[in-house]
Amino acid sequence: MPGRFAARLVVSISGADVGQRVSLRRRLPTGEYSDVVGVLESWADGLLTVRRRTGELVEVPEATVVAGKVVPPQPPPRRRPRRDEPS
């Protein structure tokens, strides 16, 4: 019997999480899913606004969110060793 993969989709964020880094999974009109990760800027009138690390602002209708959670802050960029430093 072949194995089956099942995921439980849970929305565990609320308006109280504004200012936190979140990961959202939304259902697109095509039936596919898309993820948005960034800082939750606002949640008002059924619309979530998320700022991605690129600075892009993404508006996500609340009705399309199928999963969401608060995630840790983005780690700082890794420093590359200088050429004269041993690696």
Side-chain angles (χ1 to χ4, degrees):
M1 179 169 163
R4 298 189 69 185
F5 175 76
R8 195 174 95 200
L9 301 175
V10 177
V11 178
S12 61
I13 61 171
S14 70
D17 294 315
V18 170
Q20 299 289 319
R21 186 166 179 254
V22 298
S23 174
L24 301 176
R25 176 156 292 168
R26 60 185 169 168
R27 188 170 186 115
L28 301 174
T30 60
E32 298 174 314
Y33 294 95
S34 173
D35 293 335
V36 179
V37 177
V39 176
L40 182 59
E41 296 277 323
S42 69
W43 187 341
D45 301 323
L47 191 65
L48 289 79
T49 306
V50 178
R51 185 169 305 276
R52 290 185 165 159
R53 68 178 175 186
T54 61
E56 175 189 7
L57 212 53
V58 180
E59 293 182 338
V60 180
E62 184 177 353
T64 65
V65 176
V66 296
K69 64 182 179 178
V70 174
V71 294
Q74 182 178 352
R78 295 180 68 181
R79 187 176 81 84
R80 291 186 176 198
R82 292 176 39 188
R83 287 184 175 220
D84 57 347
E85 290 181 10
S87 23

Coordinates of all heavy atoms in Angstrom, one line a residue:
M1 N 0.8 -1.2 0.0 CA 0.0 0.0 0.0 C 0.9 1.2 0.0 O 1.7 1.4 0.9 CB -0.9 0.0 1.3 CG -1.8 1.1 1.4 SD -2.8 0.6 2.8 CE -3.5 2.0 3.3
P2 N 0.7 2.1 -1.0 CA 1.6 3.3 -1.1 C 1.3 4.3 0.1 O 0.2 4.4 0.6 CB 1.2 3.9 -2.4 CG -0.1 3.4 -2.8 CD -0.2 2.0 -2.1
G3 N 2.4 4.9 0.5 CA 2.2 5.9 1.6 C 1.5 7.2 1.1 O 1.5 7.5 0.0
R4 N 0.8 7.8 2.0 CA 0.1 9.0 1.7 C 0.6 10.1 2.6 O 0.9 9.9 3.8 CB -1.4 8.8 1.9 CG -2.0 7.8 1.0 CD -3.5 7.8 1.1 NE -3.9 9.0 0.5 CZ -5.2 9.4 0.4 NH1 -6.1 8.7 1.0 NH2 -5.5 10.5 -0.2
F5 N 0.7 11.3 2.0 CA 1.2 12.4 2.8 C 0.0 13.3 3.0 O -0.8 13.7 2.1 CB 2.2 13.2 2.0 CG 2.6 14.5 2.7 CD1 3.5 14.5 3.8 CD2 2.2 15.7 2.2 CE1 3.9 15.6 4.4 CE2 2.5 16.9 2.9 CZ 3.4 16.8 3.9
A6 N -0.3 13.7 4.3 CA -1.4 14.5 4.6 C -0.9 15.6 5.5 O -0.1 15.4 6.5 CB -2.5 13.8 5.3
A7 N -1.2 16.9 5.2 CA -0.8 18.0 6.0 C -2.0 18.6 6.7 O -3.1 18.7 6.0 CB -0.1 19.0 5.2
R8 N -1.9 19.0 7.9 CA -2.9 19.7 8.6 C -2.7 21.2 8.5 O -1.6 21.7 8.9 CB -3.0 19.3 10.0 CG -4.3 19.6 10.7 CD -4.3 19.1 12.1 NE -3.8 20.1 13.0 CZ -3.4 19.9 14.2 NH1 -3.3 18.7 14.6 NH2 -3.0 20.9 14.9
L9 N -3.6 21.9 7.8 CA -3.4 23.3 7.6 C -4.1 24.1 8.8 O -5.2 23.9 9.0 CB -4.0 23.8 6.3 CG -3.4 23.1 5.0 CD1 -4.1 23.4 3.8 CD2 -1.9 23.4 4.9
V10 N -3.3 24.9 9.5 CA -3.8 25.6 10.6 C -3.4 27.1 10.5 O -2.2 27.4 10.2 CB -3.2 25.0 11.9 CG1 -3.6 25.8 13.2 CG2 -3.5 23.5 12.1
V11 N -4.3 27.9 10.8 CA -4.0 29.4 10.9 C -3.9 29.7 12.4 O -4.8 29.7 13.1 CB -5.2 30.2 10.3 CG1 -4.8 31.7 10.4 CG2 -5.4 29.8 8.8
S12 N -2.6 29.9 12.8 CA -2.4 30.2 14.2 C -1.9 31.6 14.4 O -1.0 31.9 15.3 CB -1.4 29.2 14.8 OG -0.2 29.2 14.1
I13 N -2.4 32.6 13.6 CA -2.0 34.0 13.8 C -3.3 34.8 14.0 O -4.4 34.3 13.6 CB -1.2 34.5 12.6 CG1 -2.0 34.4 11.3 CG2 0.2 33.8 12.5 CD1 -1.3 35.2 10.1
S14 N -3.1 36.0 14.5 CA -4.3 36.9 14.7 C -3.8 38.3 14.5 O -2.6 38.5 14.3 CB -4.9 36.7 16.1 OG -4.0 37.2 17.0
G15 N -4.7 39.2 14.6 CA -4.4 40.6 14.5 C -3.3 41.0 15.5 O -2.6 42.0 15.4
A16 N -3.3 40.3 16.6 CA -2.3 40.6 17.7 C -0.8 40.4 17.2 O 0.1 40.8 17.9 CB -2.6 39.8 18.9
D17 N -0.7 39.7 16.1 CA 0.7 39.3 15.6 C 1.2 40.4 14.6 O 2.3 40.2 14.0 CB 0.7 38.0 14.9 CG 0.4 36.9 15.9 OD1 1.0 36.9 17.0 OD2 -0.5 36.0 15.6
V18 N 0.5 41.5 14.5 CA 1.0 42.6 13.6 C 2.4 43.0 14.1 O 2.6 43.2 15.3 CB 0.0 43.8 13.6 CG1 0.7 45.0 12.9 CG2 -1.2 43.4 12.9
G19 N 3.4 43.1 13.2 CA 4.7 43.5 13.6 C 5.6 42.3 13.7 O 6.9 42.4 13.8
Q20 N 5.1 41.1 13.7 CA 5.8 39.8 13.8 C 6.1 39.3 12.4 O 5.4 39.6 11.4 CB 5.0 38.7 14.5 CG 4.7 39.1 15.9 CD 6.0 39.1 16.8 OE1 6.8 38.2 16.7 NE2 6.1 40.0 17.7
R21 N 7.2 38.5 12.2 CA 7.4 37.8 11.0 C 6.5 36.6 10.9 O 6.5 35.8 11.8 CB 8.9 37.4 10.9 CG 9.3 36.8 9.6 CD 10.9 36.8 9.5 NE 11.3 36.2 8.2 CZ 11.8 35.0 8.1 NH1 12.0 34.2 9.2 NH2 12.2 34.6 6.9
V22 N 5.8 36.4 9.7 CA 4.9 35.4 9.6 C 5.1 34.6 8.3 O 5.7 35.1 7.4 CB 3.4 35.9 9.6 CG1 3.1 36.5 11.0 CG2 3.1 36.8 8.5
S23 N 4.6 33.4 8.2 CA 4.5 32.6 7.0 C 3.1 32.3 6.8 O 2.4 31.8 7.6 CB 5.3 31.3 7.2 OG 5.2 30.5 6.1
L24 N 2.6 32.7 5.6 CA 1.2 32.5 5.2 C 1.2 31.6 4.0 O 2.0 31.7 3.1 CB 0.5 33.8 4.8 CG 0.4 34.9 5.8 CD1 -0.2 36.1 5.2 CD2 -0.3 34.4 7.1
R25 N 0.2 30.7 3.9 CA -0.1 29.9 2.7 C -1.5 30.3 2.3 O -2.4 30.3 3.1 CB 0.0 28.4 3.0 CG -0.5 27.6 1.8 CD 0.1 26.2 1.8 NE 1.6 26.3 1.6 CZ 2.4 25.3 1.8 NH1 1.9 24.1 2.2 NH2 3.7 25.4 1.7
R26 N -1.6 30.7 1.0 CA -2.9 31.2 0.5 C -3.2 30.3 -0.7 O -2.4 29.8 -1.4 CB -2.8 32.6 0.1 CG -1.7 32.9 -0.9 CD -1.6 34.4 -1.2 NE -0.4 34.6 -2.0 CZ -0.1 35.7 -2.7 NH1 -0.9 36.7 -2.6 NH2 1.0 35.8 -3.4
R27 N -4.5 30.2 -0.9 CA -5.0 29.5 -2.1 C -5.3 30.5 -3.2 O -6.0 31.5 -3.0 CB -6.3 28.8 -1.8 CG -6.7 27.9 -2.9 CD -7.9 26.9 -2.4 NE -8.1 26.0 -3.5 CZ -7.9 24.7 -3.4 NH1 -7.5 24.2 -2.3 NH2 -8.2 23.9 -4.5
L28 N -4.7 30.3 -4.4 CA -4.9 31.2 -5.5 C -6.1 30.8 -6.3 O -6.7 29.7 -6.1 CB -3.7 31.0 -6.4 CG -2.3 31.3 -5.8 CD1 -1.2 31.0 -6.8 CD2 -2.3 32.8 -5.4
P29 N -6.7 31.7 -7.1 CA -7.9 31.4 -7.9 C -7.7 30.2 -8.8 O -8.7 29.6 -9.1 CB -8.1 32.7 -8.7 CG -7.3 33.8 -8.0 CD -6.2 33.1 -7.3
T30 N -6.5 29.8 -9.1 CA -6.3 28.7 -10.0 C -6.4 27.4 -9.2 O -6.4 26.3 -9.8 CB -4.9 28.7 -10.6 OG1 -3.9 28.7 -9.5 CG2 -4.7 29.9 -11.5
G31 N -6.5 27.5 -7.9 CA -6.6 26.3 -7.0 C -5.2 25.9 -6.5 O -5.1 25.0 -5.6
E32 N -4.1 26.5 -7.0 CA -2.8 26.2 -6.5 C -2.6 27.0 -5.2 O -3.4 27.9 -4.8 CB -1.8 26.7 -7.5 CG -1.9 25.9 -8.8 CD -0.9 26.4 -9.8 OE1 -0.8 27.6 -10.0 OE2 -0.2 25.6 -10.5
Y33 N -1.5 26.7 -4.5 CA -1.1 27.4 -3.2 C 0.1 28.2 -3.5 O 1.0 27.9 -4.3 CB -0.9 26.4 -2.1 CG -2.1 25.6 -1.7 CD1 -2.4 24.4 -2.3 CD2 -3.1 26.2 -0.8 CE1 -3.6 23.7 -1.9 CE2 -4.2 25.5 -0.5 CZ -4.5 24.3 -1.0 OH -5.6 23.6 -0.7
S34 N 0.2 29.3 -2.7 CA 1.4 30.2 -2.7 C 1.7 30.6 -1.3 O 0.8 30.8 -0.5 CB 1.1 31.4 -3.6 OG 2.1 32.3 -3.5
D35 N 3.0 30.7 -1.0 CA 3.5 31.1 0.3 C 3.9 32.5 0.3 O 4.6 33.0 -0.7 CB 4.6 30.2 0.8 CG 4.1 28.8 1.1 OD1 2.9 28.6 1.3 OD2 5.0 27.9 1.0
V36 N 3.7 33.2 1.4 CA 4.2 34.6 1.6 C 4.9 34.6 2.9 O 4.2 34.3 3.9 CB 3.0 35.6 1.5 CG1 3.6 37.0 1.8 CG2 2.3 35.6 0.2
V37 N 6.1 35.1 3.0 CA 6.9 35.2 4.2 C 7.3 36.6 4.4 O 7.9 37.2 3.5 CB 8.1 34.2 4.3 CG1 8.9 34.4 5.6 CG2 7.6 32.8 4.1
G38 N 7.1 37.2 5.6 CA 7.5 38.6 5.8 C 6.9 39.1 7.1 O 6.3 38.3 7.8
V39 N 7.0 40.4 7.3 CA 6.5 41.0 8.5 C 5.0 41.4 8.2 O 4.7 42.1 7.3 CB 7.3 42.3 8.9 CG1 6.7 43.0 10.1 CG2 8.8 41.8 9.2
L40 N 4.2 41.0 9.1 CA 2.8 41.3 9.1 C 2.6 42.8 9.4 O 2.8 43.2 10.6 CB 1.9 40.4 10.0 CG 0.4 40.6 10.0 CD1 -0.2 40.4 8.6 CD2 -0.2 39.7 11.0
E41 N 2.3 43.6 8.4 CA 2.3 45.1 8.6 C 0.9 45.5 9.1 O 0.8 46.4 10.0 CB 2.5 45.8 7.3 CG 3.9 45.6 6.8 CD 4.9 46.6 7.4 OE1 4.6 47.7 7.6 OE2 6.1 46.1 7.6
S42 N -0.2 44.8 8.6 CA -1.5 45.2 9.1 C -2.5 44.0 8.8 O -2.2 43.2 8.0 CB -2.0 46.5 8.5 OG -2.3 46.3 7.1
W43 N -3.6 44.0 9.6 CA -4.7 43.1 9.3 C -6.0 43.8 9.6 O -6.3 44.0 10.8 CB -4.5 41.9 10.3 CG -5.4 40.7 10.0 CD1 -6.6 40.8 9.4 CD2 -5.3 39.4 10.5 NE1 -7.2 39.5 9.3 CE2 -6.4 38.7 10.0 CE3 -4.3 38.7 11.2 CZ2 -6.6 37.3 10.3 CZ3 -4.5 37.4 11.4 CH2 -5.6 36.7 11.0
A44 N -6.6 44.3 8.6 CA -7.8 45.1 8.8 C -8.8 44.9 7.6 O -8.4 44.7 6.5 CB -7.4 46.6 8.9
D45 N -10.1 44.9 8.0 CA -11.1 44.8 7.0 C -10.9 43.5 6.1 O -11.2 43.6 4.9 CB -11.2 46.0 6.1 CG -11.5 47.3 7.0 OD1 -12.3 47.1 7.9 OD2 -11.0 48.3 6.7
G46 N -10.5 42.4 6.7 CA -10.4 41.2 5.9 C -9.2 41.1 5.0 O -9.1 40.3 4.1
L47 N -8.2 42.0 5.2 CA -7.0 42.1 4.3 C -5.7 42.1 5.2 O -5.6 42.9 6.0 CB -7.1 43.3 3.4 CG -6.0 43.4 2.3 CD1 -6.3 42.3 1.3 CD2 -6.1 44.8 1.6
L48 N -4.8 41.1 4.9 CA -3.5 41.1 5.6 C -2.5 41.7 4.6 O -2.5 41.4 3.4 CB -3.1 39.6 5.9 CG -3.9 38.9 7.0 CD1 -5.3 38.4 6.4 CD2 -3.1 37.8 7.5
T49 N -1.6 42.5 5.2 CA -0.6 43.2 4.4 C 0.8 42.7 5.0 O 1.0 42.9 6.2 CB -0.7 44.7 4.5 OG1 -2.0 45.1 4.1 CG2 0.3 45.4 3.6
V50 N 1.6 42.1 4.1 CA 2.9 41.5 4.6 C 4.0 42.2 3.8 O 3.9 42.3 2.5 CB 2.9 40.0 4.3 CG1 4.2 39.4 4.7 CG2 1.7 39.3 5.1
R51 N 5.0 42.6 4.5 CA 6.2 43.2 3.8 C 7.3 42.1 3.7 O 7.8 41.6 4.7 CB 6.7 44.4 4.6 CG 7.9 45.1 3.8 CD 8.2 46.4 4.4 NE 7.1 47.3 4.5 CZ 6.7 48.1 3.5 NH1 7.3 48.0 2.3 NH2 5.7 49.0 3.7
R52 N 7.6 41.7 2.5 CA 8.7 40.8 2.2 C 10.0 41.4 2.5 O 10.2 42.6 2.6 CB 8.6 40.3 0.8 CG 7.4 39.4 0.5 CD 7.5 38.8 -0.9 NE 6.5 37.7 -1.0 CZ 6.0 37.3 -2.1 NH1 6.4 37.8 -3.2 NH2 5.2 36.3 -2.1
R53 N 11.1 40.6 2.6 CA 12.4 41.1 2.9 C 12.9 42.0 1.8 O 13.8 42.8 2.0 CB 13.4 39.9 3.1 CG 13.7 39.1 2.0 CD 14.7 38.0 2.3 NE 14.9 37.1 1.1 CZ 15.6 36.1 1.1 NH1 16.2 35.7 2.2 NH2 15.7 35.3 0.0
T54 N 12.4 41.9 0.6 CA 12.8 42.7 -0.5 C 12.1 44.1 -0.4 O 12.5 45.0 -1.2 CB 12.3 42.1 -1.9 OG1 10.9 42.0 -1.9 CG2 13.0 40.8 -2.1
G55 N 11.2 44.3 0.5 CA 10.5 45.5 0.7 C 9.2 45.5 0.0 O 8.3 46.4 0.2
E56 N 8.9 44.5 -0.8 CA 7.6 44.4 -1.5 C 6.5 44.2 -0.5 O 6.6 43.5 0.4 CB 7.7 43.2 -2.5 CG 6.4 42.9 -3.2 CD 6.4 41.6 -4.0 OE1 7.4 40.8 -3.8 OE2 5.4 41.4 -4.7
L57 N 5.4 44.9 -0.7 CA 4.2 44.8 0.1 C 3.2 43.9 -0.6 O 2.8 44.2 -1.7 CB 3.6 46.2 0.3 CG 2.9 46.5 1.6 CD1 3.8 46.2 2.8 CD2 2.5 47.9 1.7
V58 N 2.8 42.9 0.1 CA 1.8 41.9 -0.5 C 0.5 42.0 0.3 O 0.5 41.9 1.5 CB 2.4 40.5 -0.5 CG1 1.4 39.5 -1.1 CG2 3.8 40.4 -1.2
E59 N -0.6 42.1 -0.4 CA -1.9 42.1 0.2 C -2.5 40.7 0.0 O -2.6 40.3 -1.1 CB -2.8 43.2 -0.4 CG -2.3 44.6 -0.1 CD -3.2 45.7 -0.6 OE1 -3.9 45.4 -1.6 OE2 -3.1 46.8 -0.1
V60 N -3.0 40.1 1.1 CA -3.5 38.8 1.1 C -4.9 38.9 1.7 O -5.1 39.2 2.8 CB -2.7 37.8 1.9 CG1 -3.3 36.4 1.8 CG2 -1.2 37.8 1.4
P61 N -6.0 38.6 0.9 CA -7.3 38.5 1.4 C -7.4 37.4 2.5 O -7.0 36.3 2.3 CB -8.2 38.2 0.2 CG -7.4 38.6 -1.0 CD -6.0 38.4 -0.6
E62 N -8.0 37.8 3.6 CA -8.1 36.8 4.7 C -8.8 35.5 4.3 O -8.5 34.4 4.7 CB -8.9 37.5 5.9 CG -9.0 36.7 7.1 CD -9.7 37.4 8.2 OE1 -10.0 38.6 8.1 OE2 -9.9 36.7 9.3
A63 N -9.8 35.6 3.4 CA -10.6 34.5 3.0 C -9.7 33.5 2.2 O -10.1 32.3 2.1 CB -11.7 34.9 2.1
T64 N -8.5 33.9 1.7 CA -7.7 33.0 0.9 C -6.6 32.3 1.7 O -5.9 31.4 1.3 CB -7.0 33.7 -0.3 OG1 -6.1 34.7 0.3 CG2 -8.0 34.4 -1.2
V65 N -6.5 32.7 3.0 CA -5.4 32.1 3.9 C -5.9 30.8 4.4 O -6.9 30.6 5.0 CB -5.1 33.1 5.1 CG1 -4.1 32.4 6.0 CG2 -4.6 34.4 4.6
V66 N -5.1 29.8 4.1 CA -5.4 28.4 4.6 C -4.5 27.9 5.7 O -4.8 27.0 6.4 CB -5.4 27.4 3.4 CG1 -6.5 27.7 2.4 CG2 -4.0 27.3 2.7
A67 N -3.3 28.6 5.9 CA -2.4 28.3 6.9 C -1.6 29.5 7.2 O -1.3 30.3 6.4 CB -1.5 27.1 6.6
G68 N -1.2 29.7 8.5 CA -0.4 30.8 8.9 C 0.2 30.6 10.3 O -0.4 30.0 11.1
K69 N 1.5 31.1 10.4 CA 2.1 31.0 11.7 C 3.2 32.0 11.9 O 3.7 32.6 10.9 CB 2.7 29.6 11.9 CG 3.9 29.3 11.0 CD 4.4 27.9 11.2 CE 5.5 27.6 10.2 NZ 6.1 26.2 10.4
V70 N 3.5 32.4 13.1 CA 4.6 33.3 13.4 C 5.9 32.5 13.2 O 6.0 31.3 13.7 CB 4.5 33.9 14.8 CG1 5.7 34.7 15.2 CG2 3.2 34.7 14.9
V71 N 6.9 33.1 12.6 CA 8.2 32.4 12.4 C 9.3 33.2 13.0 O 9.1 34.4 13.2 CB 8.5 32.1 10.9 CG1 7.5 31.1 10.4 CG2 8.4 33.3 10.1
P72 N 10.5 32.6 13.3 CA 11.6 33.4 13.9 C 12.0 34.5 12.9 O 11.9 34.4 11.7 CB 12.7 32.4 14.1 CG 12.0 31.1 14.0 CD 10.8 31.2 13.1
P73 N 12.7 35.6 13.5 CA 13.2 36.6 12.7 C 14.2 36.1 11.7 O 14.9 35.0 11.9 CB 13.9 37.6 13.6 CG 13.4 37.2 15.0 CD 12.9 35.8 14.9
Q74 N 14.4 36.8 10.6 CA 15.4 36.3 9.6 C 16.8 36.4 10.1 O 17.1 37.4 10.8 CB 15.2 37.2 8.3 CG 16.1 36.9 7.2 CD 15.9 37.8 6.0 OE1 15.0 38.6 6.0 NE2 16.8 37.6 5.0
P75 N 17.6 35.4 9.9 CA 19.0 35.5 10.5 C 19.8 36.6 9.8 O 19.5 36.9 8.6 CB 19.5 34.1 10.2 CG 18.7 33.5 9.1 CD 17.3 34.2 9.2
P76 N 20.8 37.1 10.4 CA 21.6 38.2 9.8 C 22.4 37.6 8.6 O 22.6 36.4 8.6 CB 22.5 38.6 10.9 CG 22.5 37.6 11.9 CD 21.2 36.8 11.8
P77 N 22.7 38.4 7.7 CA 23.5 37.8 6.5 C 24.8 37.3 7.0 O 25.4 37.8 8.0 CB 23.7 39.0 5.6 CG 23.3 40.2 6.4 CD 22.5 39.8 7.6
R78 N 25.3 36.3 6.4 CA 26.6 35.7 6.7 C 27.7 36.5 6.2 O 27.7 36.9 5.0 CB 26.7 34.2 6.2 CG 25.6 33.3 6.8 CD 25.7 31.9 6.3 NE 27.0 31.3 6.7 CZ 27.3 30.1 6.4 NH1 26.6 29.4 5.7 NH2 28.5 29.6 6.8
R79 N 28.7 36.7 7.0 CA 29.9 37.5 6.5 C 30.8 36.6 5.8 O 31.2 35.5 6.3 CB 30.6 38.1 7.8 CG 31.7 39.0 7.4 CD 32.2 39.7 8.6 NE 33.2 38.8 9.3 CZ 34.5 38.8 9.0 NH1 35.0 39.4 8.0 NH2 35.3 38.0 9.7
R80 N 31.3 37.0 4.6 CA 32.3 36.2 3.9 C 33.6 36.6 4.4 O 33.9 37.7 4.7 CB 32.1 36.6 2.4 CG 30.9 36.1 1.8 CD 30.9 36.3 0.3 NE 29.7 35.7 -0.3 CZ 29.6 35.5 -1.6 NH1 30.6 35.8 -2.4 NH2 28.5 34.9 -2.0
P81 N 34.5 35.6 4.5 CA 35.9 35.9 4.9 C 36.6 36.7 3.9 O 36.4 36.6 2.7 CB 36.6 34.5 5.1 CG 35.7 33.6 4.4 CD 34.3 34.2 4.2
R82 N 37.5 37.6 4.4 CA 38.3 38.4 3.4 C 39.3 37.5 2.8 O 39.7 36.5 3.3 CB 39.0 39.5 4.2 CG 37.9 40.5 4.7 CD 38.5 41.7 5.5 NE 39.8 42.1 5.1 CZ 40.5 43.0 5.8 NH1 40.1 43.4 6.9 NH2 41.7 43.4 5.3
R83 N 39.9 37.9 1.7 CA 40.8 37.1 1.0 C 42.1 36.8 1.8 O 42.7 35.8 1.7 CB 41.2 37.7 -0.3 CG 40.1 37.7 -1.3 CD 40.6 38.3 -2.6 NE 39.6 38.1 -3.6 CZ 39.8 37.7 -4.9 NH1 41.0 37.6 -5.3 NH2 38.8 37.5 -5.7
D84 N 42.5 37.8 2.6 CA 43.7 37.6 3.4 C 43.5 36.8 4.7 O 44.4 36.6 5.4 CB 44.4 38.9 3.6 CG 43.6 39.9 4.4 OD1 42.3 39.7 4.4 OD2 44.1 41.0 4.8
E85 N 42.2 36.5 5.0 CA 41.9 35.7 6.2 C 41.9 34.2 5.9 O 41.4 33.9 4.8 CB 40.6 36.1 6.8 CG 40.5 37.5 7.4 CD 39.2 37.8 7.9 OE1 38.3 36.9 8.0 OE2 38.9 39.0 8.3
P86 N 42.4 33.4 6.8 CA 42.2 32.0 6.5 C 40.8 31.5 6.6 O 40.0 32.1 7.4 CB 43.1 31.3 7.6 CG 43.3 32.3 8.6 CD 43.1 33.7 8.0
S87 N 40.3 30.6 5.8 CA 38.9 30.2 5.9 C 38.7 29.0 6.8 O 39.5 28.4 7.4 CB 38.4 29.8 4.5 OG 39.3 29.5 3.6

